[in-house]
Amino acid sequence: MGVEAGAQAARSRALVVLRMRSRALAVALLPAAVAVILLAGAATGRLAGPGWDAARWILTPVAVLVLLAAAGIALVVARARPAMSPTIPVTEEAAPDLYRMMRDLADRLDVPAPSAIALTPDCDSWLEDRTHRAHGPPPAEEHDDIAGGGRHPHRRHAVAPVLVIGSPFLWWMRVGELRAVLAPVVAGTGPSAHPDIAAARRFVRGLDAAVAVASSPHRGPVARAVLAGVGWVARLLLRSCRVHAAEMERGVAAAAAERAQAVDYGLRIVAQEQVGLAYAGWDRLLTRVALPAWRMGRWPSRLDAGVVAALTELSRRDRLAEGFASRLGERPACDLLEEPGAVDEAASLLAARLFHGGPAGPGPDWSPVGWSEYPEEVVDRKWRIDAARLHRVLDAMGVRPAPGSVAPNTGGPTLSRVLDHLTGEADDLTGRADRLTDRAGKTPFTARSPEPPPDDEEDLSGTTPRSATLAARLSAELSREEATAPPSPSATAPFTADSSSTGSPATPDPAALWDDRTLPLFPLQPPRTARELLADHLTAMICCAAMDTAGATPGLDWLDGPTLLHNGERTADLAPKILTLIEDGDSTPLRAWLAELGIRPEKPVRLV
């Protein structure tokens, strides 16, 4: 009863949307109909006279213009390419067990099976209609074996939507849990096959695509002026049917959820808990682990496998997650793939593109990194690059080496140099050198350049003047590096995957159906502030000193990202001590921590 009620509600809303389409067509044809009546009246002699003649002369050109405008708008709506989510296509040869499970699930739900399966590097699953001709011709099997179950091979069946599955689900969930989570999604193919609902969806998608076409800035002034009118009409129609289209989708979702109640109901409750857990682990892995690697031109090639490690670590730390690790003895859903490693690599590369805006394929400045290589290739290198940048900025500011430095004549990269500058302990030496320079009447070799004003006063409020100046300098230096960095040859090429295999990266596809110029589509974090940049660089310098003078090593924490290991154990959090240094110019807590671990701040460190 619930299934029928939801489906009926969706159909009724779809009819309302289609009636709005019919009304728009009627408005476009109305001037032409009146003109035809006037012309017919003149031919029969019934509508004669100067007034009727003037009406015919005025209304006939208007009717022609309205018809041409309506035809143009209809053409744009029909030919505009609806947005298609960037995904990793998975063919049946690459995942026969997964396709078999989807067909069995569709049979249990008594709905058409999805026409194909694709993966997305996110924790979500949905059905996506890709029947528009701009999406390319569907495979032949989509008309019989998959969509129609092999029945009536002589008939052309309507192509069912594509099932898009979140790739983290395949690695974290067990096979039964994945089936239970996907049951309501697959059940949505039933309402999608109804002609009225399908027609209403095509109309709304066409309007949305037409708005996107009209909003494109990469056109000439004449084309922009013409498309501005198209966009206005499309937006007007979208506003008119927005509520009804939303209610239609709610009805479809309600009908699908009600139909799926009979399939793995008890298991679905447990599986939904795994959905939330997978999302938390995936988000933490991207922001804490993947993002530092992406920023330095490396992309972890096994992100989905990292989700399992991160969530296993979470289950070990958090009592609320107890019992989840015991599930790992069951068959994981990634076993439904023939080559899960290749799929994971393709999903990891696509995740880097979507969340960071990286190039479409590996290159000299965009290479993959395995988890075993992450501490040395990412953590150690990141810290040394940041430490080198910090000392370059100090050199440009004319900051003298710390008293008692091993290499005082060369301005060696020591931690003491940084601490003394931020705490103001080198003021006397700097002032004495400046006075001697003034007496000699010449400029010193390491003369300080004018200090720039802080770039964000609110962000740097509450910090010492030296911290604010150094933070502003670091922010400017990083901006210059990013501006002068040469673009990667593949940075503007849309991503595609090999449709004949498991989804491993292939050559760039110029006909990709998503706008590559707007990358990243889903940025993980806003740009770092000057205060955050200063804290990151200070942390990097401290870690370099710990590695070079106290035998510490770089490490990877699955939940917190780069970490410093001392005697094989993770060191205490440095953030409060660094915050005290930045805000108060007090290095006492930090120096006590350094002494406790045996770190020698006066010793030079190795930079990149």
Side-chain angles (χ1 to χ4, degrees):
M1 189 66 177
V3 176
E4 293 300 328
Q8 187 61 36
R11 293 167 189 167
S12 63
R13 294 291 182 170
L15 290 176
V16 175
V17 174
L18 295 178
R19 281 197 294 269
M20 290 184 177
R21 184 185 65 177
S22 301
R23 290 171 186 168
L25 180 61
V27 171
L29 295 178
L30 183 59
V34 176
V36 169
I37 293 173
L38 292 177
L39 292 174
T44 58
R46 294 179 178 275
L47 300 177
W52 292 110
D53 292 339
R56 276 188 289 271
W57 279 104
I58 295 174
L59 194 58
T60 300
V62 171
V64 173
L65 290 177
V66 172
L67 282 178
L68 290 177
I73 294 173
L75 184 63
V76 171
V77 173
R79 294 179 60 86
R81 298 183 303 185
M84 187 176 75
S85 304
T87 56
I88 306 297
V90 178
T91 63
E92 187 169 5
E93 293 78 10
D97 292 341
L98 183 59
Y99 272 80
R100 190 177 302 111
M101 186 185 77
M102 290 301 102
R103 289 199 188 98
D104 294 341
L105 185 58
D107 289 341
R108 294 177 62 183
L109 295 169
D110 194 23
V111 295
S115 60
I117 296 176
L119 301 183
T120 178
D122 201 359
C123 293
D124 198 3
S125 297
W126 66 89
L127 292 173
E128 186 166 291
D129 188 353
R130 297 182 178 178
T131 58
H132 194 277
R133 56 177 172 271
H135 295 162
E141 67 267 21
E142 292 183 350
H143 298 291
D144 43 36
D145 292 342
I146 297 180
R151 301 182 299 272
H152 307 295
H154 61 282
R155 293 177 54 189
R156 181 182 177 87
H157 294 275
V159 180
V162 173
L163 175 63
V164 181
I165 307 174
S167 61
F169 293 163
L170 289 174
W171 269 258
W172 176 244
M173 289 187 174
R174 309 299 99 180
V175 173
E177 294 170 349
L178 180 67
R179 183 176 59 246
V181 167
L182 295 180
V185 183
V186 175
T189 60
S192 300
H194 191 273
D196 294 335
I197 295 177
R201 283 177 166 174
R202 284 195 300 270
F203 177 59
V204 173
R205 283 198 306 271
L207 293 176
D208 183 69
V211 170
V213 170
S215 303
S216 176
H218 306 282
R219 301 182 186 277
V222 177
R224 286 201 302 268
V226 172
L227 290 175
V230 175
W232 181 84
V233 174
R235 291 186 185 92
L236 178 64
L237 293 174
L238 275 177
R239 285 194 298 268
S240 301
C241 62
R242 177 183 298 143
V243 174
H244 300 288
E247 292 298 328
M248 176 185 69
E249 297 300 338
R250 289 192 185 95
V252 170
E258 188 67 26
R259 183 181 293 274
Q261 291 289 334
V263 178
D264 299 330
Y265 177 75
L267 185 59
R268 189 160 65 251
I269 298 176
V270 177
Q272 287 299 328
E273 297 178 356
Q274 304 305 319
V275 171
L277 192 63
Y279 183 85
W282 177 250
D283 181 72
R284 193 89 176 239
L285 187 74
L286 292 184
T287 56
R288 303 293 182 89
V289 178
L291 189 58
W294 293 340
R295 283 173 173 163
M296 60 182 302
R298 306 296 298 271
W299 52 279
S301 58
R302 294 293 186 270
L303 280 178
D304 291 309
V307 172
V308 180
L311 293 177
T312 303
E313 178 65 16
L314 178 64
S315 67
R316 186 184 66 84
R317 297 184 189 179
D318 191 350
R319 290 186 302 173
L320 297 177
E322 288 181 358
F324 289 136
S326 62
R327 305 165 39 260
L328 301 181
E330 304 174 15
R331 185 189 183 193
C334 62
D335 280 358
L336 300 174
L337 304 172
E338 290 293 300
E339 298 182 25
V343 176
D344 195 359
E345 184 173 357
S348 300
L349 179 57
L350 183 55
R353 298 215 71 203
L354 297 182
F355 298 111
H356 186 67
D365 300 324
W366 188 243
S367 56
V369 59
W371 291 127
S372 61
E373 306 164 347
Y374 187 94
E376 291 294 331
E377 296 293 327
V378 175
V379 180
D380 181 86
R381 185 164 169 246
K382 173 186 180 299
W383 286 340
R384 298 191 187 277
I385 289 175
D386 287 351
R389 184 183 299 111
L390 176 60
H391 280 278
R392 284 200 307 271
V393 172
L394 291 175
D395 291 340
M397 295 172 61
V399 177
R400 270 65 170 181
S405 173
V406 175
N409 297 326
T410 60
T414 65
L415 178 58
S416 293
R417 181 193 190 193
V418 182
L419 298 182
D420 292 348
H421 173 70
L422 292 179
T423 55
E425 295 177 7
D427 279 344
D428 293 339
L429 290 177
T430 301
R432 188 179 302 113
D434 290 342
R435 286 192 296 272
L436 290 175
T437 300
D438 293 338
R439 293 174 184 174
K442 59 183 179 180
T443 303
F445 179 74
T446 57
R448 290 182 294 175
S449 57
E451 295 185 354
D455 57 349
D456 188 344
E457 296 182 0
E458 182 179 357
D459 171 55
L460 296 176
S461 62
T463 63
T464 64
R466 292 189 173 220
S467 296
T469 301
L470 182 56
R473 292 269 192 170
L474 283 170
S475 181
E477 176 68 16
L478 189 60
S479 299
R480 281 193 293 269
E481 292 178 9
E482 294 175 350
T484 57
S488 173
S490 58
T492 58
F495 176 87
T496 185
D498 187 358
S499 60
S500 63
S501 64
T502 59
S504 56
T507 56
D509 181 11
L513 301 177
W514 49 288
D515 189 0
D516 189 77
R517 294 166 300 195
T518 61
L519 291 175
L521 298 180
F522 313 103
L524 292 178
Q525 293 178 341
R528 289 175 290 180
T529 64
R531 181 197 289 258
E532 292 172 341
L533 284 174
L534 177 57
D536 289 345
H537 284 73
L538 290 176
T539 301
M541 187 61 202
I542 294 169
C543 292
C544 288
M547 290 187 295
D548 292 349
T549 68
T553 58
L556 167 62
D557 186 280
W558 290 109
L559 298 176
D560 296 326
T563 187
L564 183 68
L565 301 179
H566 187 265
N567 294 330
E569 297 182 359
R570 181 179 175 180
T571 58
D573 189 10
L574 276 171
K577 303 171 182 63
I578 292 177
L579 188 63
T580 301
L581 176 62
I582 293 175
E583 294 183 348
D584 304 329
D586 182 8
S587 62
T588 304
L590 180 57
R591 290 183 186 275
W593 183 85
L594 296 174
E596 181 182 353
L597 269 66
I599 300 174
R600 302 280 301 276
E602 74 280 2
K603 294 288 187 179
V605 300
R606 177 175 60 87
L607 303 179
V608 175

